[in-house]
Amino acid sequence: MDIDPQTLTIDPSKIAGKITPKTKAVIPVHLYGQCADMGPILELAEAKRLFVIEDAAQALGAQYRSDVKPHANGKVWKAGQMGHFGCFSFFPTKNLGAFGDAGMVVTRDPGLAERVRLLRVHGSRPKYHHKEIGINSRLDTLQAAILLVKFKYLEKWTEERRKKAERYQVLLRDVASVLPGFDLPVTRNGSRHIYHQYVIRVPERDRLRSFLQEEGVGTEIYYPVPLHLQECYAFLGWRRGDFPVSEKAADEVLALPIYPELQENEQDYVVDRIRAFYNR
Ligand SMILES: Cc1ncc(COP(=O)(O)O)c(C=O)c1O
């Protein structure tokens, strides 16, 4: 189903209409480091008895509500802790990155935790006796050791990212206010965005990207092709025009450099080159 045009996370108002007797779960993606609109999603899932599996791969440390106490009304509003499962990625480019592939699934339910543990090792328990067809998804010890060291710095790195994102917002505000279709990222009120990516939207995205590349500014597109138009899902029969908000976003999004060590002069250069492109 389609996404919310401002945050690019799943549009909760579109979920109910898609539920069929075969539906088992909702998988909201906390894109770019911002939580999906979890309030209505959790309510709907509870009413319809659906599992909620949070894709928190980009959102370790993000909060849907940061304006209330962490455990307000018995609810936890942190990315990965709101649904039945939270899935995190420690791929090297993530905010907490290992030196190779790694990830984590969290759940509060001991039964579900056991099931995931079993599936992680080919469904094997005791060893070489397979209760279920599982996968090989072990976190190797070397990656775990690296992550344990880096984890101590995560909060500091996150705050650095947030500061840099706030600085982009200030430096680019006037450009965004005069150029039609030049949009800065929107953060949901009362939430905590952890800026895995700082993503602007511009109609002339590809030309701006080429210009920035020539000027020595690296950018990236997350993501150029929406899921329903991926070759591997062609068998589902979706066509261009079926998810217009996602399609427009795929044509316009551009991630600017953001990482904890980004220096102010480097950030000024990025902004200066964007201004140069627009003669502003
Ligand atoms: C939103 C999102 N979901 C899922 C994944 C997959 O994570 P991994 O590559 O660790 O399997 C990623 C990262 O690649 C991601 O950004």
Side-chain angles (χ1 to χ4, degrees), residues 97-278:
F99 279 19
D101 274 307
M104 175 171 75
V105 176
V106 298
T107 177
R108 224 179 298 281
D109 181 318
L112 294 178
E114 266 316 287
R115 182 96 195 280
V116 175
R117 277 194 199 104
L118 190 68
L119 292 171
R120 177 181 64 177
V121 287
H122 299 294
S124 157
R125 184 173 308 139
K127 209 172 176 184
Y128 305 135
H129 295 261
H130 297 263
K131 287 193 197 311
E132 290 199 68
I133 301 171
I135 52 175
N136 173 2
S137 203
R138 291 176 287 244
L139 177 70
D140 76 66
T141 314
L142 187 61
Q143 301 305 338
I146 289 162
L147 288 167
L148 277 175
V149 175
K150 291 181 77 178
F151 184 61
K152 292 180 199 136
Y153 303 95
L154 180 64
E155 193 49 34
K156 188 167 138 250
W157 289 336
T158 300
E159 277 310 312
E160 285 301 321
R161 280 176 184 271
R162 284 166 50 77
K163 264 191 230 157
K164 266 118 216 187
E166 188 50 44
R167 195 158 180 273
Y168 269 136
Q169 297 289 86
V170 172
L171 294 174
L172 290 169
R173 191 173 293 153
D174 62 321
V175 182
S177 68
V178 293
L179 294 172
F182 188 115
D183 292 333
L184 301 179
V186 175
T187 305
R188 199 170 283 113
N189 275 343
S191 71
R192 184 187 198 225
H193 196 318
I194 54 108
Y195 291 100
H196 173 56
Q197 299 297 342
Y198 180 88
V199 177
I200 60 168
R201 290 184 66 160
V202 283
E204 52 288 324
R205 190 265 317 275
D206 294 337
R207 283 196 299 118
L208 173 61
R209 185 170 194 223
S210 304
F211 175 81
L212 291 176
Q213 190 161 355
E214 278 165 26
E215 300 291 314
V217 177
T219 58
E220 194 45 89
I221 298 169
Y222 304 104
Y223 297 91
V225 183
L227 270 190
H228 66 291
L229 300 178
Q230 293 286 350
E231 202 179 324
C232 62
Y233 289 125
F235 70 95
L236 292 172
W238 299 107
R239 298 260 174 277
R240 184 165 286 281
D242 286 338
F243 299 95
V245 186
S246 302
E247 289 165 22
K248 191 159 188 282
D251 290 340
E252 295 184 349
V253 290
L254 189 65
L256 302 183
I258 191 156
Y259 46 92
E261 302 80 8
L262 182 68
Q263 299 298 307
E264 288 197 355
N265 63 331
E266 294 170 324
Q267 204 177 10
D268 291 342
Y269 179 72
V270 174
V271 172
D272 178 68
R273 293 299 81 202
I274 292 173
R275 285 181 186 281
F277 177 78
Y278 291 104

Side-chain angles (χ1 to χ4, degrees), residues 29-31 55-58 88-91 94 101-103 196 223:
V29 179
H30 301 322
L31 196 68
D55 179 339
Q58 302 187 354
F88 295 94
S89 170
F90 304 129
F91 185 71
K94 294 294 192 284
D101 274 307
H196 173 56
Y223 297 91

Side-chain angles (χ1 to χ4, degrees), residues 10-83:
I10 193 169
D11 180 345
S13 70
K14 304 224 166 89
I15 300 176
K18 297 283 180 189
I19 297 173
T20 73
K22 285 167 77 181
T23 308
K24 292 204 162 53
V26 187
I27 310 180
V29 179
H30 301 322
L31 196 68
Y32 304 148
Q34 156 149 260
C35 289
D37 191 3
M38 292 301 286
I41 296 174
L42 293 169
E43 256 176 51
L44 183 73
E46 199 174 335
K48 303 278 180 190
R49 298 178 160 273
L50 298 175
F51 281 99
V52 176
I53 303 168
E54 297 176 65
D55 179 339
Q58 302 187 354
L60 183 59
Q63 290 181 38
Y64 174 62
R65 300 277 309 266
S66 58
D67 55 344
V68 291
K69 287 197 181 118
H71 294 265
N73 309 324
K75 293 213 163 82
V76 182
W77 297 113
K78 290 183 173 172
Q81 297 187 28
M82 296 177 270

